[in-house]
Amino acid sequence: PEDTVTSSFASFIHGARPDHLSKTVRHRSKRMILDSIGVGLVGSTTHVFDIALRYCRELYSPVAVSSVYGKPGVKLSPTLAAFTNGVATHSMDFDDTWHPATHPSGAVLPALLAASQMLPPGTKPTGMDFLLAFNVGLEVQGRLMHFSTEAHDIPKRFHPPSVVGTMGSAAATAKLLSLSRAQCCHALGIAASLAGAPMANAATQAKPLHIGNATRLGFEAALLAARGMEAHSDHQARHSFQFNACAALLDGEVGLGSFTESSIHRQELRELLDKVVVEHPEDNVANFDKMYGEVALLLHSGDVLTGKCDTFYGHWRKPLSKESLLKKFRSNASHVLPDEKIEAIITTVDNLENLSDSSQL
């Protein structure tokens, strides 16, 4: 085979084995899987998720085999379930990240969950198969991010999950479906066309996908907009340093309740926001591994209180403890599931490598 970057990735995907997963990798993978399910469950309560779900149920006649986060009894076709659950996972922007910055689990886990339900009885992947495919999807994203000379700073032009996440999802699904090395190579090549239309596919069967995908996605963009989905103005409060600082000052903490309509539009918050001045020192570079946050409060007495943070709790240098991770998961999942089902998911993920049928997840 031709010695290319794509073929080397295909060789890795095809050759990865369960014994390549160390105990530490399996442990951390299960943390990420549990956390991602939790944020997906709470994401199933959001408006953007409802739009995506309604859109899929209205416009497609699915082969209904794959489950949807937070909607007992609702099934979609595998691809639409992956799409809808992917929307849920990132709808609150609570899902995991790393440096160079992307959201690795959300682009992979929904695809694997949908695919595991798609396969017929007797061919279901095991829990260890699932863990291996999940890690293949993460590894491909990580390698692509580290190859990029621009990825280490905050991206200015592309949202990384839309590019490397597409490749990671294809790699993970290819592994779960036990594709051949050649098929892994084709899956990556096709995914590249769906993620960015490279000219390397100009003379292949994948080239028409550039036009077909542009047609379909552009059409779908207009239909989603017609149903009320927004692009630029969504989630501004969650991404506003000023808002989060003021909400924390008023309430003592920032949580899901901070982003309700009533909290966002309250008068005391508006008055406090009017007093905020934002500065961007030259030494505070746009890099998630180096940037810091600093607050100075000028009181009526003339006193000044300051605080600075360069490694927040949950940062890759300061990950959540097991107790905090479980607290986050239980809090997220409680918006959708009763306690006994929440605890059942925790137990299932904790014993994932011992499952004989990963579709149980």
Side-chain angles (χ1 to χ4, degrees):
E2 186 180 358
D3 186 16
T4 63
V5 172
T6 305
S7 67
S8 70
F9 271 74
S11 295
F12 159 72
I13 297 166
H14 182 64
R17 303 190 308 274
D19 58 7
H20 289 150
L21 303 182
S22 68
K23 183 178 180 180
T24 298
V25 168
R26 295 198 304 271
H27 171 71
R28 292 182 179 176
S29 302
K30 290 186 288 186
R31 284 171 50 97
M32 295 167 75
I33 289 170
L34 182 67
D35 184 52
S36 190
I37 291 173
V39 297
L41 286 169
V42 72
S44 71
T45 66
T46 61
H47 181 54
V48 65
F49 171 84
D50 288 336
I51 293 173
L53 177 60
R54 186 171 69 252
Y55 165 75
C56 290
R57 299 180 75 177
E58 287 175 356
L59 297 187
Y60 290 84
S61 177
V63 178
V65 296
S66 297
S67 302
V68 177
Y69 278 142
K71 303 295 179 183
V74 174
K75 295 290 182 69
L76 294 174
S77 67
T79 52
L80 292 181
F83 166 74
T84 306
N85 288 338
V87 171
T89 300
H90 195 58
S91 64
M92 298 292 289
D93 217 335
F94 285 177
D95 46 325
D96 56 19
T97 187
W98 60 16
H99 183 71
T102 191
H103 299 277
S105 296
V108 170
L109 183 60
L112 295 180
L113 291 171
S116 67
Q117 289 185 287
M118 174 186 75
L119 294 172
T123 65
K124 299 288 190 183
T126 67
M128 183 59 83
D129 295 331
F130 193 98
L131 271 175
L132 181 61
F134 179 76
N135 277 278
V136 165
L138 299 187
E139 180 73 11
V140 166
Q141 292 179 78
R143 293 188 186 193
L144 289 171
M145 293 300 290
H146 280 282
F147 284 168
S148 171
T149 58
E150 299 180 359
H152 289 264
D153 292 329
I154 296 176
K156 296 180 180 179
R157 295 179 177 86
F158 296 99
H159 190 209
S162 66
V163 180
V164 300
T166 305
M167 305 296 287
S169 175
T173 306
K175 187 62 181 177
L176 195 74
L177 298 180
S178 300
L179 299 191
S180 68
R181 182 182 183 280
Q183 289 174 316
C184 290
C185 200
H186 291 316
L188 290 175
I190 293 169
S193 284
L194 299 178
M199 288 305 294
N201 278 336
T204 72
Q205 289 182 327
K207 185 172 183 286
L209 291 177
H210 301 176
I211 305 303
N213 200 43
T215 303
R216 179 177 65 85
L217 294 181
F219 181 31
E220 291 187 357
L223 293 176
L224 288 168
R227 281 158 177 76
M229 185 172 287
E230 300 175 343
H232 294 299
S233 57
D234 268 1
H235 295 260
Q236 287 182 339
R238 289 189 184 88
H239 291 254
S240 167
F241 180 83
Q242 303 96 295
F243 175 88
N244 282 274
C246 290
L249 284 171
L250 288 174
D251 304 328
E253 63 178 6
V254 177
L256 291 178
S258 304
F259 305 106
T260 62
E261 287 294 311
S262 58
S263 294
I264 289 175
H265 296 294
R266 53 187 161 156
Q267 184 61 31
E268 60 267 35
L269 178 65
R270 295 287 174 166
E271 292 175 357
L272 191 56
L273 281 168
D274 287 339
K275 301 176 181 179
V276 175
V277 176
V278 178
E279 298 178 349
H280 191 171
E282 291 184 2
D283 68 330
N284 200 0
V285 297
N287 181 301
F288 282 120
D289 206 35
K290 301 176 181 177
M291 63 194 303
Y292 61 86
E294 188 170 18
V295 177
L297 302 179
L298 176 60
L299 306 183
H300 287 297
S301 64
D303 293 336
V304 178
L305 305 178
T306 62
K308 181 177 180 179
C309 177
D310 60 4
T311 305
F312 55 84
Y313 189 40
H315 191 279
W316 42 86
R317 291 195 301 264
K318 191 178 181 182
L320 298 181
S321 67
K322 180 179 180 180
E323 291 74 20
S324 294
L325 182 76
L326 291 175
K327 180 180 178 181
K328 177 186 176 185
F329 174 76
R330 289 184 174 114
S331 174
N332 285 333
S334 67
H335 290 269
V336 178
L337 299 178
D339 289 346
E340 63 270 17
K341 291 191 176 182
I342 293 173
E343 298 308 312
I345 293 175
I346 293 173
T347 300
T348 300
V349 172
D350 195 41
N351 293 286
L352 187 54
E353 61 262 65
N354 299 317
L355 282 184
S356 59
D357 176 2
S358 63
S359 67
Q360 295 174 26
L361 183 58

